Amino acid sequence: MRVSFLLAVVLFSAVPISLAEVLITEFMASNQDALLDGDGDSSDWLEIFNSGTTAVDLGGHFLTDDAAEPQKWVFPQHSLAPNGFVLVFASGKNRATAGSEMHTNFSLASSGDYLALVAPDGVTILSEFRFSQQYD
């Protein structure tokens, strides 16, 4: 009985707790000059939030606008502080350089689309939205 209890404790403690703490908290799929990117373009954007109590490295996490392609765009190394936010432009410009403004390789359709944050395993969905028509 002691061995099975120990095994259960080891298995439970191996579950990464930080995965569920990183979420998409906001997005804009119809940006009409509300927020400009570094190129002066009003690109679509999204915000990632770390609700945990420790920093999370977003490196290896994915963003996608296609449920059938969960590994569409990969984050570079980026430490996200506890209660910290990071802005990512969904512009189609495909920029993933650590320390620079980040841009996905896809844009969001204002007529309705899918958006997900995927864990580094490339499968586990941490946060997702299936949204309908967005307005300016």
Side-chain angles (χ1 to χ4, degrees):
M1 175 143 323
R2 181 166 166 70
V3 173
S4 62
F5 173 76
L6 180 60
L7 179 60
V9 170
V10 170
L11 290 176
F12 180 72
S13 66
V15 175
I17 295 169
S18 66
L19 289 181
E21 296 175 345
V22 183
L23 307 165
I24 298 170
T25 51
E26 192 174 353
F27 64 88
M28 182 174 278
S30 185
N31 183 9
Q32 298 297 318
D33 299 323
L35 178 66
L36 301 179
D37 67 19
D39 298 327
D41 298 328
S42 52
S43 301
D44 303 335
W45 56 266
L46 59 113
E47 179 184 81
I48 306 293
F49 174 63
N50 176 6
S51 66
T53 58
T54 60
V56 173
D57 182 6
L58 290 176
H61 286 74
F62 300 92
L63 288 171
T64 188
D65 67 339
D66 184 348
E69 191 179 348
Q71 300 175 24
K72 194 162 187 181
W73 184 82
V74 64
F75 273 93
Q77 284 188 321
H78 180 87
S79 181
L80 188 55
N83 295 310
F85 296 89
V86 66
L87 184 75
V88 179
F89 288 98
S91 65
K93 296 177 184 179
N94 197 20
R95 297 180 186 162
T97 304
S100 297
E101 187 177 79
M102 292 180 272
H103 291 257
T104 64
N105 56 355
F106 60 86
S107 298
L108 300 174
S110 62
S111 60
D113 210 343
Y114 174 78
L115 177 62
L117 173 64
V118 182
D121 66 9
V123 177
T124 305
I125 304 297
L126 302 176
S127 182
E128 69 180 344
F129 293 90
R130 295 179 193 277
F131 59 90
S132 59
Q133 177 75 41
Q134 303 291 294
Y135 299 94
D136 299 340

